[in-house]
Amino acid sequence: PPRRRHGPRWREGEEGLYSALPLLWALLSSLPAGHGGTRAAVVRCLGRLGQHAHATTLAAQRGVMQSIIALLADPSAEVATACSVVLPRLLGSASFVRVVGLNEAPCEEAEAEAAVVDGQLLHDTVIAPMVSMLLEPASASDAADRPPHFRLALMAALGAIGRESLYAHACCRGAVVLALSAHLGRDELSQEYGCAMRELRSLAAQCGREGYIAEGTTEALCRALSPQLAAEWAWWLVERPELLEPTAHKLLDTSVNEMLELALPHALPSITLLGGLAQRGVHRRGERGRQAGEALRQLAQRLHHSEAGLLIPHK
């Protein structure tokens, strides 16, 4: 699309151009599933128009823009792949996120531009729902509707969103790293394992280019994000033990014990707090509160400490 200009005549022209958004969506919906290449091209056109649209136009076509994420589960792998490229570019725009991703109803352009988008808000409204979609078990009906390539497209989209500068917050990138790391327990020859490692390395390289870490390696990235990652590593002792070795060896280039030692200062407060709340009958975090004692026991056993000896130096 041409560069934006101000003035009523240009705005009228732009509105005419972007009025094609619902027409493109109708075209996409009408094309047979077997026309994957053509449908993928339409998805790219939708994304291109969405990237350059004004906030008022986005508000008017909010339903169309929000529907794009559903294309990650499209029967065509070509369409899902196109969506995994288009979606991060759209969500990498603060204006798009303000209007399409955060508001329950259309708003004026001035209101959208004034809305504050911080890291925690991006995590809660963009990253967390996608992570849940990736990690939480699907219902029988959802699982039947989702094609085999859905998870790969979602992983690629999540990794690309993490590389966008808008999401250069520890809470956002930490959640992305954890979500991708959850697939390292797969067979190393599997597509999911390969996709997870590819996205993690790409994210590390991007953080290196940004200067967030000195070297663009997964080890440097994980150490920089250890406050966000370490507590989960400790919980994996009782929840996902199969993830410990691949995370330690492939991402941190270290042993499991050294990784858990790194985790201690960040993990112990969470474990002791949830354990204490569970003992008092407060089960705000459900299963984790009940498993806190076992997590502490296994952590102490693994690191050759008593439970008391583990806690005292880290108060």
Side-chain angles (χ1 to χ4, degrees):
R3 293 177 58 192
R4 289 188 235 167
R5 296 286 188 270
H6 296 289
R9 185 172 294 180
W10 178 259
R11 177 58 61 86
E12 287 174 10
E14 187 201 36
E15 288 174 353
L17 175 64
Y18 293 107
S19 65
L21 284 168
L23 298 177
L24 284 170
W25 184 259
L27 173 62
L28 180 67
S29 302
S30 67
L31 286 169
H35 292 204
T38 304
R39 297 177 69 242
V42 176
V43 172
R44 288 190 287 271
C45 289
L46 282 167
R48 187 72 171 168
L49 286 174
Q51 277 183 268
H52 295 274
H54 279 296
T56 48
T57 304
L58 289 173
Q61 305 299 338
R62 188 168 181 265
V64 171
M65 293 289 98
Q66 286 186 324
S67 299
I68 289 177
I69 191 171
L71 297 175
L72 290 170
D74 193 87
S76 166
E78 290 176 280
V79 173
T81 299
C83 180
S84 72
V85 174
V86 163
L87 189 63
R89 292 174 180 170
L90 292 172
L91 291 171
S93 163
S95 178
F96 183 91
V97 172
R98 288 185 184 105
V99 177
V100 178
L102 301 181
N103 294 291
E104 296 182 359
C107 62
E108 296 296 328
E109 183 175 353
E111 293 175 354
E113 293 301 325
V116 176
V117 179
D118 61 19
Q120 192 60 51
L121 191 61
L122 288 168
H123 171 273
D124 295 345
T125 58
V126 178
I127 300 294
M130 294 187 71
V131 168
S132 295
M133 199 186 309
L134 181 63
L135 300 184
E136 290 183 1
S139 66
S141 59
D142 286 344
D145 291 340
R146 290 174 180 173
H149 54 258
F150 165 73
R151 192 174 298 275
L152 297 175
L154 182 53
M155 291 167 67
L158 191 60
I161 289 169
R163 295 193 296 273
E164 291 288 336
S165 59
L166 185 64
Y167 298 84
H169 304 275
C171 60
C172 293
R173 286 179 168 169
V176 171
V177 170
L178 286 171
L180 294 171
S181 300
H183 294 80
L184 298 185
R186 302 275 181 169
D187 187 311
E188 290 191 23
L189 299 179
S190 69
Q191 288 184 308
E192 286 189 26
Y193 180 94
C195 182
M197 285 301 303
R198 182 170 59 252
E199 294 303 328
L200 286 164
R201 287 169 178 152
S202 295
L203 179 57
Q206 177 62 29
C207 290
R209 288 190 290 270
E210 293 173 357
Y212 180 73
I213 51 179
E215 298 179 46
T217 64
T218 57
E219 178 184 359
L221 177 62
C222 289
R223 290 184 181 277
L225 293 174
S226 57
Q228 286 71 42
L229 307 179
E232 289 299 307
W233 293 340
W235 282 109
W236 284 350
L237 272 169
V238 293
E239 294 177 348
R240 303 289 304 276
E242 74 278 6
L243 296 179
L244 292 172
E245 285 198 15
T247 300
H249 297 161
K250 298 296 184 181
L251 299 188
L252 282 154
D253 193 25
T254 190
S255 68
V256 172
N257 281 17
E258 288 173 338
M259 183 179 80
L260 292 175
E261 287 281 5
L262 177 65
L264 280 180
H266 309 288
L268 288 176
S270 169
I271 293 172
T272 53
L273 175 61
L274 292 179
L277 289 173
Q279 286 185 343
R280 291 176 173 270
V282 181
H283 298 290
R284 292 179 181 173
R285 294 298 299 274
E287 192 63 25
R288 281 198 168 178
R290 292 186 288 273
Q291 291 183 334
E294 179 63 15
L296 184 61
R297 187 190 68 77
Q298 289 198 31
L299 197 56
Q301 184 180 43
R302 184 83 192 221
L303 298 178
H304 308 292
H305 290 291
S306 67
E307 293 176 32
L310 197 65
L311 290 170
I312 292 170
H314 297 93
K315 281 186 176 178

